[in-house]
Amino acid sequence: MIAVILAGGKGLRLWPESRQKRPKQLCKFIGTKSMLDETIDRLLDAGSHRIVIITSEELALPIKELLKQRTDNDLIEILSEPQGKNTAPAVGLVLARYLGENSDELLGIFPADHHVLDRKAFVQSLEKAMQAARSNHLATIGISPSRAETGYGYIEKTKWEVADIPDVYEVNSFCEKPDSATANSYLDSGRHMWNAGIYVGKASVLMDEFRKHLPHIYEKMMLGFDGYVSSYEELPDISLDYGIAEKSDRMAVVPADFGWSDLGSWNALAELHQPDENMNVCCGQDVIVMDSSNCLVKQTEKSLVLFGVDNLLVVETDDVIFVSQRDRSQDIRQIVEALQAQNRDDLL
């Protein structure tokens, strides 16, 4: 399998740790490795013989510098988009790059910035997806929901297994992010899973799906890599989910539970750490918390002391100390937009 890692995201909701020149996928939120390094590691563990990272022109150099520290960087290729479009044109970049090569080669599409707690379970789920893909399905992995989440899209499975593969099902529908009542009904149904944005299929199957559902992108892919890149500005801004997955009759889904998180907010990070007896979560080596509760602290260099406070988010980086009410962590995008309006590029 060629593993394609989509690494062009900005991670605005994790400011100030996530920045323009060091976005979420290059940050170290869990342990000592960047999220991109962790993603590469588990995809190599799953048997990928080649890694292709798709990113923006601005991030190509920082990612190249990161990869220099790896001993396996000869297995990794970086492709940069001429401009940010969406996931469908990005995947087209890889298909154009390998046009004419082994059409039975499996391509796996993966986000760069998701966290996986149980790597062994992830590999087992991916092996099932690969098995379905070899039977000419376009396979995805659905995360068994642990709560009625309104921030994710959902995949609804049927009761029919595909290609005699145990626990791999036909897809009934893809569902947009629901309201609270709908999310609760999804949780109760037993048929709905979170959409993690993971896809596996043969190169030939993906090409055929582009031909049927996104013919304009397909036509440009057939020009070859250089022709595709030169026509990138003409391509539609459309996701693989909307452009192909929601329309395809080849979809299969693997229900999975491997401790997945999209790490889409500071509160999502808190869920991956054990809180103290007062529900404080402290990430860092030098944090002191006294008479405080329900605080989330991310410390890097400076010593941080919290005393007599509640429900705070505190993030310390080399140039910013950020403090807010913890329950407003989803509103951090507003700060980024305000800094952009003030031309504070030094803080972005």
Side-chain angles (χ1 to χ4, degrees):
M1 181 180 73
I2 298 174
V4 180
I5 300 176
L6 304 176
K10 298 178 181 178
L12 298 181
R13 286 179 293 175
L14 289 166
W15 185 90
E17 184 74 20
S18 178
R19 312 286 274 270
Q20 288 181 347
K21 294 182 179 179
R22 191 194 63 234
K24 173 184 169 187
Q25 58 269 28
L26 301 185
C27 295
K28 301 174 183 178
F29 288 108
I30 308 291
T32 60
K33 292 185 175 182
S34 72
M35 300 196 75
L36 178 58
D37 275 316
E38 293 281 4
T39 300
I40 293 170
D41 288 348
R42 65 175 170 265
L43 291 174
L44 291 174
D45 282 353
S48 302
H49 65 85
R50 186 148 193 82
I51 304 284
V52 180
I53 298 172
I54 303 178
T55 190
S56 64
E57 292 184 342
E58 294 78 14
L59 292 179
L61 183 58
I63 290 176
K64 186 176 181 180
E65 291 300 314
L66 181 72
L67 296 181
K68 284 181 179 178
Q69 303 170 31
R70 300 184 62 97
T71 58
D72 51 13
N73 56 27
D74 58 318
L75 303 176
I76 306 171
E77 180 179 7
I78 302 172
L79 299 180
S80 56
E81 293 183 275
Q83 63 183 99
K85 286 284 186 178
N86 211 315
T87 51
V91 171
L93 202 64
V94 181
L95 290 169
R97 166 71 176 81
Y98 289 96
L99 188 68
E101 297 192 21
N102 182 7
S103 62
D104 286 334
E105 178 73 75
L106 295 185
L107 262 64
I109 317 299
F110 305 90
D113 54 2
H114 291 180
H115 178 70
V116 169
L117 184 64
D118 188 340
R119 188 174 293 183
K120 181 179 179 181
F122 169 80
V123 170
Q124 290 171 343
S125 298
L126 186 54
E127 287 173 347
K128 288 184 180 180
M130 292 166 68
Q131 191 176 352
R134 292 189 187 100
S135 298
N136 294 318
H137 286 84
L138 182 55
T140 185
I141 293 177
I143 307 300
S144 300
S146 58
R147 61 185 183 275
E149 175 60 57
T150 60
Y152 301 148
Y154 285 72
I155 304 166
E156 182 187 12
K157 69 176 183 176
T158 70
K159 63 181 180 180
W160 309 110
E161 293 179 333
V162 303
D164 297 321
I165 307 170
D167 300 320
V168 181
Y169 297 89
E170 294 179 7
V171 171
N172 187 51
S173 64
F174 284 80
C175 311
E176 299 296 325
K177 295 176 182 178
D179 58 26
S180 181
T182 305
N184 275 291
S185 71
Y186 288 169
L187 184 64
D188 294 338
S189 75
R191 301 188 310 273
H192 293 79
M193 295 151 283
W194 293 335
N195 185 352
I198 296 171
Y199 294 99
V200 184
K202 288 181 181 177
S204 57
V205 168
L206 282 163
M207 288 292 291
D208 196 47
E209 294 297 292
F210 271 90
R211 180 187 61 79
K212 288 190 288 188
H213 303 298
L214 294 172
H216 184 59
I217 296 180
Y218 175 79
E219 290 170 6
K220 301 303 181 184
M221 286 193 292
M222 296 306 292
L223 299 174
F225 184 72
D226 292 339
Y228 186 76
V229 170
S230 65
S231 61
Y232 210 78
E233 188 175 353
E234 305 171 30
L235 300 179
D237 188 332
I238 189 169
S239 69
L240 198 67
D241 287 3
Y242 183 75
I244 290 180
E246 293 182 13
K247 300 177 175 67
S248 175
D249 59 3
R250 297 184 180 185
M251 293 304 304
V253 61
V254 179
D257 184 3
F258 41 71
W260 173 87
S261 172
D262 74 338
L263 211 61
S265 69
W266 284 110
N267 281 330
L269 177 66
E271 294 173 1
L272 302 177
H273 293 269
Q274 187 68 32
D276 66 15
E277 65 274 12
N278 294 312
M279 300 307 293
N280 299 299
V281 175
C282 299
C283 308
Q285 300 298 315
D286 195 5
V287 182
I288 299 172
V289 180
M290 298 176 60
D291 295 336
S292 300
S293 63
N294 198 41
C295 293
L296 170 58
V297 185
K298 175 70 166 66
Q299 178 264 344
T300 304
E301 295 179 352
K302 301 177 181 66
S303 301
L304 293 183
V305 180
L306 276 65
F307 179 64
V309 295
D310 302 300
N311 193 42
L312 289 186
L313 167 64
V314 182
V315 182
E316 178 256 334
T317 72
D318 57 353
D319 61 344
V320 173
I321 296 176
F322 172 65
V323 182
S324 81
Q325 290 293 315
R326 183 173 169 180
D327 54 16
R328 296 205 61 186
S329 66
Q330 292 282 4
D331 300 328
I332 287 179
R333 184 183 291 267
Q334 297 177 18
I335 299 171
V336 175
E337 292 171 352
L339 292 173
Q340 289 171 337
Q342 297 172 27
N343 295 317
R344 290 301 305 270
D345 292 344
D346 57 313
L347 297 180
L348 293 171

